[in-house]
């Protein structure tokens, strides 16, 4: 580790709300808006973007809970959104329009924000299942990760008051889930001295919080360590089983459980006997295992990326040993499971095959030794992106199997579906299906495997003449890196091109519809490319591990190889090639700027990590050390210091950097805005061209409403439109 302190001339910009820093922000943001948001083209683009985002013929993407489908709806009249619901019987006949009389508004977030003088942003709800009578509403200030929790009565459609003993939690990075009507599981750092928080700022303890009591004094049922990332907990309303976990780092966890019928407040939990790099989930009578590396159980080895299930009965009977599991999925070089959705009698696996989606389905057996049989899934198109939005496995169960019961009590085994027709079947699932030039559709995948399209979003841009092709580039070590090219209409030859990448945290880049990309870039003849570089999840855990910690440069090399391939194949030229990425993708862009500046004509960097010497000291940064490394150890000299963009800025007299657009959010409480601020100041000081915009709210997403989202998109596309030449530069 280097002993000499690294000089940081712009450290003062880390003071998020200091008058000096905010003055610096306002000055640069105003200049950027005056430049990139001005002019006929930019103003027309903003109007077009806002028209798309506020369109009233959009689909309201539903979450199924009992008799209702819930959604958050935003438009020009409700920029903060309406949390509302519609009966399942209406949705099942086709996605209802915005003005359908069956919609019920539960909370007008904008009206609440105006009434209370707080810039509230809706951050989700937790409905009490399966009774569906109460919800815990999550509200954040300006879109931050920290939220305030309030209890809402879904029957009377109002907030529960303090006088009624409402569950209410002040702003915190927290998680809450129902146990029964008067008890919730709570993970939140509440102690003023920070003793119940991890170094990453998340909860270190799990509490069992009962109505009418002080949450800070609630019984602690599980504790993690100070240097963990966070703890978590869950309760199954059917079996009564509690689980808890501690995450030593971003990619590992230690799982514990209580057998049904035991009180977690007075009983020591048992460890699930798997390595910490094996993902564990529970649903009803089944325990699912998804190892990241090879896992041996009962004398058999299962490769990382497998999906395995074992019955809880066997684990309860012999907690120190797992029985031979059922293998639902074993990975191949081109396939990985991205998501798992449980119904009551069916499980759905969302499989990526060369980054394109398919759904595999299996029946859940009635007994521990029963058969897991493949089930049909019919009518889904090929070459698309499919997301399972919701499936309500508790639909139609007895109205209140565990209300009033002591924590740890199990639901009666006689719980059966009721009110058939008024609710979805517990194996029905609603899907979002789209392609790069195919607008999203809402599809009902019924329990029998048939599909029905409930509604489709109209085309938001003219897709005629747009070509979508898939390719591979060869990285420095010979690895083939996939990328998808979307080429707008126009003559043959090089075009202005935007290359997008992420390459981290096992996040997959999939071909999906993006209306603003099509309307503001492709329709005008531009080219957009999505690269599936290592560090992502396109090919499962091994693809991710190939670019973790000291192997991070593999992701950078992959992205650079795609950039070179685009020029070599005549898609674009160096001066016509731009690149963009956000968050971890912002780090990728920072490395492109400082290590590969000769490959690009312009770079747009959003909500980025850039100072890898201090990232672990800022907000949630400590939680990412398993991904990047520890800069306070030998990791800095061994590999982090070799690429950290902030420390590698060279003066303009030595090297020509492409023009940069840097964007972030003041209210981002995940990736500190100081990264973007300091990098911009350092680039200015070194004599490089950089434009800066910081939205005052929006959290890590960078925008809190549709108007802000439109502004963000226009700044980015207008920046590239002006910086990337329309024609091949003269070669002299």
């Amino acid at each position: 580790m280097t002993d000499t302190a690294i000089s940081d001339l712009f450290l003062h910009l880390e003071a998020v709300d200091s008058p000096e820093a905010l003055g610096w922000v306002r000055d640069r943001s105003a200049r950027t808006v005056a430049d990139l948001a001005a002019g006929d083209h930019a103003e027309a683009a903003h109007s077009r973007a806002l028209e798309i985002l506020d369109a009233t013929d959009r689909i309201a993407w539903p979450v199924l809970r009992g008799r209702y489908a819930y959604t958050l709806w935003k438009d020009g009249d409700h920029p903060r959104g309406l949390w509302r619901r519609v009966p399942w019987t209406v949705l099942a006949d086709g996605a209802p329009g915005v003005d359908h009389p069956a919609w019920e508004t539960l909370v007008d977030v904008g009206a609440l924000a105006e009434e209370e003088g707080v810039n509230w942003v809706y951050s989700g709800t937790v409905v009490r299942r399966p009774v569906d009578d109460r919800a815990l509403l999550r509200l954040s200030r300006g879109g931050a990760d920290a939220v305030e929790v309030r209890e809402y009565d879904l029957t009377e459609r109002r907030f529960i008051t303090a006088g009624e003993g409402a569950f209410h939690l002040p702003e915190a990075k927290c998680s809450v889930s129902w146990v029964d009507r008067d008890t919730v599981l709570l993970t939140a750092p509440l102690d003023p001295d920070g003793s119940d928080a991890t170094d990453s700022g998340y909860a270190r303890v799990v509490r069992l919080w009962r109505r009418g009591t002080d949450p800070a004094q609630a019984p602690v049922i599980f504790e993690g360590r100070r240097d963990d990332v966070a703890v978590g907990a869950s309760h199954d309303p059917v079996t009564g089983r509690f689980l808890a976990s501690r995450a030593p780092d971003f990619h590992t966890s230690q799982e514990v459980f209580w057998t049904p019928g035991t009180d977690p407040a007075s009983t020591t939990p048992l460890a699930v006997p798997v390595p910490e790099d094996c993902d564990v989930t529970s649903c009803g009578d089944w325990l699912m295992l998804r190892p990241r590396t090879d896992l041996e159980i009962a004398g058999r080895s299962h490769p990382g990326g497998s999906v395995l299930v074992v019955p809880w009965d066997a684990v309860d009977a012999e907690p120190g040993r797992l029985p031979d599991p059922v293998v639902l999925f074993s990975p191949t070089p081109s396939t990985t499971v991205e998501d798992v959705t449980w119904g009551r009698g069916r499980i759905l696996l969302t499989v990526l095959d060369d980054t394109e989606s398919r759904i595999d389905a299996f029946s859940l057996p009635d007994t521990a030794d029963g058969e897991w049989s493949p089930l049909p899934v019919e009518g889904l198109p090929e070459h698309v992106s499919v997301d399972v939005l919701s499936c309500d496995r508790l639909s139609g169960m007895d109205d209140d199997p565990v209300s009033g019961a002591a924590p740890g009590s199990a639901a009666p085994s006689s719980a059966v579906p009721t009110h058939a027709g008024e609710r979805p079947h517990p194996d029905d699932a609603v899907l979002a299906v789209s392609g790069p030039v195919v607008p999203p559709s809402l599809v009902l995948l019924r329990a029998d495997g048939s599909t029905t399209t409930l509604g489709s979003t109209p085309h938001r841009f003219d897709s005629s003449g747009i070509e979508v092709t898939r390719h591979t580039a060869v990285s420095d070590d010979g690895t083939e890196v996939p990328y998808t090219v979307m080429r707008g209409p126009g003559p043959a030859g090089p075009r202005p091109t935007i290359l997008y990448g992420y390459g981290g945290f096992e996040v997959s880049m999939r071909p999906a519809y993006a209306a603003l990309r099509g309307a503001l870039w492709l329709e005008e003849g531009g080219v957009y490319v999505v690269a599936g570089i290592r560090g992502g999840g396109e090919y499962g855990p091994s693809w991710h591990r190939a670019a973790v910690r000291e192997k991070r440069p593999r992701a950078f090399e992959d992205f650079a190889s795609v950039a070179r391939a685009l020029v070599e194949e005549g898609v674009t030229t160096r001066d016509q090639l731009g690149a963009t990425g956000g968050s971890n993708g912002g780090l990728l862009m920072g490395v492109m700027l400082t290590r590969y500046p000769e490959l690009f004509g312009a770079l747009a960097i959003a909500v980025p990590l850039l100072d890898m010497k201090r990232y672990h000291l800022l907000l949630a940064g400590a939680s990412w050390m398993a991904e990047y490394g520890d800069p306070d150890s030998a990791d800095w000299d061994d590999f982090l210091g070799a690429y950290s963009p902030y420390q590698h800025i060279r003066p303009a007299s030595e090297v020509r950097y492409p023009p940069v657009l840097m964007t972030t959010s003041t209210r981002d409480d995940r990736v500190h805005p100081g990264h973007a601020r300091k990098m911009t100041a350092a680039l200015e000081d070194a004599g490089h061209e950089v434009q800066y915009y910081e939205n005052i709210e929006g959290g890590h997403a960078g925008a809190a409403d549709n108007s802000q989202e439109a502004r963000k998109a226009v700044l980015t596309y207008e920046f590239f439109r002006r910086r990337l030449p329309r024609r091949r530069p003269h070669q002299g």
Side-chain angles (χ1 to χ4, degrees), residues 22-349:
L22 289 179
W24 183 95
V25 165
R26 283 191 293 268
D27 176 64
R28 283 154 181 79
S29 296
R31 293 203 306 255
T32 297
V33 170
D35 177 21
L36 297 179
D40 293 344
H41 188 276
E43 292 170 4
H46 186 270
S47 298
R48 177 94 182 273
L50 200 54
E51 178 185 8
I52 290 171
L53 295 172
D54 285 341
T56 57
D57 56 357
R58 304 190 323 272
I59 291 175
W61 303 110
V63 175
L64 306 182
R65 293 291 180 264
R67 294 183 177 90
Y68 293 94
Y70 293 80
T71 194
L72 182 76
W73 178 264
K74 293 182 181 181
D75 59 25
D77 295 328
H78 307 96
R80 296 279 165 175
L82 302 174
W83 182 47
R84 59 184 190 166
R85 67 185 182 185
V86 70
W88 162 254
T89 52
V90 174
L91 178 65
D93 287 337
V98 61
D99 296 324
H100 195 289
W103 283 111
E104 292 180 280
T105 294
L106 302 173
V107 176
D108 183 332
V109 182
L112 181 68
E114 183 175 358
E115 176 186 344
E116 299 184 354
V118 180
N119 58 338
W120 290 124
V121 174
Y122 173 87
S123 294
T125 51
V126 182
V127 174
R128 188 170 85 92
R129 310 304 322 280
V131 191
D132 308 323
D133 60 341
R134 297 287 178 91
L136 299 171
L137 186 68
R138 297 163 55 87
L139 298 166
S140 77
R141 287 171 170 79
D145 285 352
V147 298
E148 180 172 313
V149 177
R150 301 183 185 183
E151 187 177 2
Y152 188 88
D153 190 316
L154 288 168
T155 303
E156 299 183 7
R157 294 191 292 172
R158 64 177 181 85
F159 285 107
I160 306 298
T161 66
E164 298 171 290
F167 285 114
H168 176 263
L169 194 70
E171 187 176 33
K173 289 186 176 181
C174 65
S175 174
V176 287
S177 58
W178 293 97
V179 175
D180 59 44
R181 184 182 179 90
D182 296 317
T183 315
V184 299
L185 282 170
L186 171 66
T187 61
L190 301 177
D191 290 347
D193 62 0
S195 62
D196 60 351
T198 67
D199 293 337
S200 299
Y202 296 102
R204 190 184 60 80
V205 301
V206 178
R207 294 180 168 95
L208 198 63
W209 180 22
R210 292 180 171 85
R211 187 182 300 279
T213 64
D214 180 357
Q217 301 303 315
V220 173
I221 65 169
F222 182 74
E223 294 190 45
R225 301 171 185 170
R226 182 80 184 187
D227 59 353
D228 287 343
V229 172
V231 295
S234 64
H235 171 260
D236 191 310
V238 177
T239 64
R241 184 185 299 276
F242 287 85
L243 284 90
S245 64
R246 51 172 287 266
D249 60 49
F250 201 88
H251 304 301
T252 62
S253 65
Q254 182 187 64
E255 308 286 337
V256 299
F257 68 98
W258 290 260
T259 56
T262 57
D263 181 2
S266 59
T267 308
T268 301
L270 302 168
V272 178
V274 294
E276 290 183 350
D277 69 347
C278 180
D279 181 65
V280 173
T281 55
S282 173
C283 186
D285 297 326
W286 301 99
L287 174 65
M288 175 173 283
L289 310 175
R290 298 178 64 184
R292 294 178 53 79
T293 56
D294 292 356
L295 174 64
E296 183 172 324
I297 303 176
R300 284 203 299 165
S301 181
H302 304 275
S306 298
V307 178
L308 316 171
V309 287
V310 297
W312 266 118
D313 283 351
V315 181
D316 290 336
E318 197 172 353
R321 188 181 72 86
L322 290 175
D324 194 23
V326 174
V327 179
L328 295 184
F329 177 85
S330 189
T332 69
S334 66
T335 61
T336 185
V337 169
E338 185 176 48
D339 193 27
V340 176
T341 305
W342 291 86
R344 193 178 309 166
R346 178 178 69 177
I347 189 171
L348 303 176
L349 308 184

Side-chain angles (χ1 to χ4, degrees), residues 447-460:
D448 63 5
S450 63
T451 53
T452 301
T453 299
L454 300 178
S456 297
T457 302
H459 283 274
R460 300 302 185 195

Side-chain angles (χ1 to χ4, degrees), residues 355-426:
T355 73
E356 294 182 342
S357 305
R358 72 167 192 262
I359 301 292
D360 290 351
F362 297 88
S363 63
L364 272 66
D366 295 328
T367 61
D369 57 356
E371 186 79 15
W372 291 75
S373 301
L375 295 175
V377 175
E378 302 168 349
L380 291 179
E382 297 179 339
H383 310 302
V384 293
S385 177
V386 180
D387 291 289
V388 180
L389 301 176
S390 187
C391 176
D392 185 4
R393 73 181 182 94
L394 302 179
S395 176
M397 295 198 67
D398 286 348
D399 277 350
D400 200 355
V402 292
S403 180
S409 299
S413 60
S414 60
V416 295
T418 58
H419 310 290
E422 295 182 11
R423 311 172 187 239
H425 187 284

Side-chain angles (χ1 to χ4, degrees), residues 584-601:
N584 174 75
L587 170 61
L588 174 68
M589 293 303 105
V591 174
M592 293 303 108
L593 178 70
T594 55
R595 183 174 284 192
Y596 300 97
E598 73 282 357
L599 298 181
F600 301 97

Side-chain angles (χ1 to χ4, degrees), residues 453-473:
T453 299
L454 300 178
S456 297
T457 302
H459 283 274
R460 300 302 185 195
F461 58 90
D462 183 0
S463 61
S464 61
I466 296 178
E467 298 178 352
V468 180
T469 54
R470 291 172 51 80
H471 309 265
T472 57

